[in-house]
């Protein structure tokens, strides 16, 4: 099993995280596990994604692979927490909302 880390910056133009690098990476690999961590640095939201994967063998590559959905799009609403500084009281940040 191999590991790969991606750090995605929030895109105001996309109103979300651009996951094209992850999509390109997974095209010839089998993703085993995904772990993510959301954080804010200097008022910019980031999403770090850790992928556990294995390379797909050459004979498996010849078979047409099923279309894979984005790893960052899920059928449920993801609620992220951002923390206001200097206090540590959490503030709910809903998808589509921007940090002030």
């Amino acid at each position: 099993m191999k590991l790969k880390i991606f750090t995605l910056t929030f895109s105001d133009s996309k109103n979300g995280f651009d996951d094209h690098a992850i999509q390109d990476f997974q095209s010839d690999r089998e993703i085993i596990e995904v772990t993510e961590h959301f954080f804010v640095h200097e008022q910019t939201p980031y999403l770090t994604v850790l992928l556990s994967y294995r390379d797909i063998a050459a004979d498996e590559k010849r078979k047409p692979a099923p279309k894979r959905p984005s790893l960052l799009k899920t059928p449920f609403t993801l609620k992220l927490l951002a923390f206001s500084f200097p206090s540590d009281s959490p503030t709910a940040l809903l998808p589509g909302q921007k940090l002030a």
Side-chain angles (χ1 to χ4, degrees):
M1 178 170 56
K2 298 179 181 180
L3 300 173
K4 177 75 175 176
I5 296 175
F6 292 90
T7 300
L8 309 175
T9 306
F10 184 83
S11 169
D12 286 329
S13 63
K14 291 186 174 255
N15 199 24
F17 296 95
D18 183 1
D19 66 342
H20 282 91
I22 295 174
Q23 292 297 319
D24 293 343
F25 179 80
Q26 74 172 356
S27 65
D28 59 349
R29 294 168 180 90
E30 178 186 2
I31 305 302
I32 299 166
E33 185 178 359
V34 178
T35 305
E36 79 285 331
H37 177 72
F38 174 81
F39 65 97
V40 176
H41 177 68
E42 296 182 357
Q43 298 182 347
T44 302
Y46 292 90
L47 184 65
T48 298
V49 180
L50 171 66
L51 300 179
S52 301
Y53 70 96
R54 73 173 186 91
D55 292 320
I56 297 174
D59 58 335
E60 292 180 62
K61 287 182 186 180
R62 291 188 207 121
K63 299 175 188 173
K67 177 104 172 117
R68 295 181 184 166
S70 169
L71 294 174
L72 301 180
K73 295 176 184 168
T74 57
F76 57 88
T77 301
L78 178 64
K79 293 184 180 178
L80 303 174
L81 293 180
F83 293 91
S84 303
F85 295 100
S87 72
D88 287 336
S89 59
T91 305
L93 178 64
L94 300 174
Q97 287 183 320
K98 297 179 182 177
L99 292 175

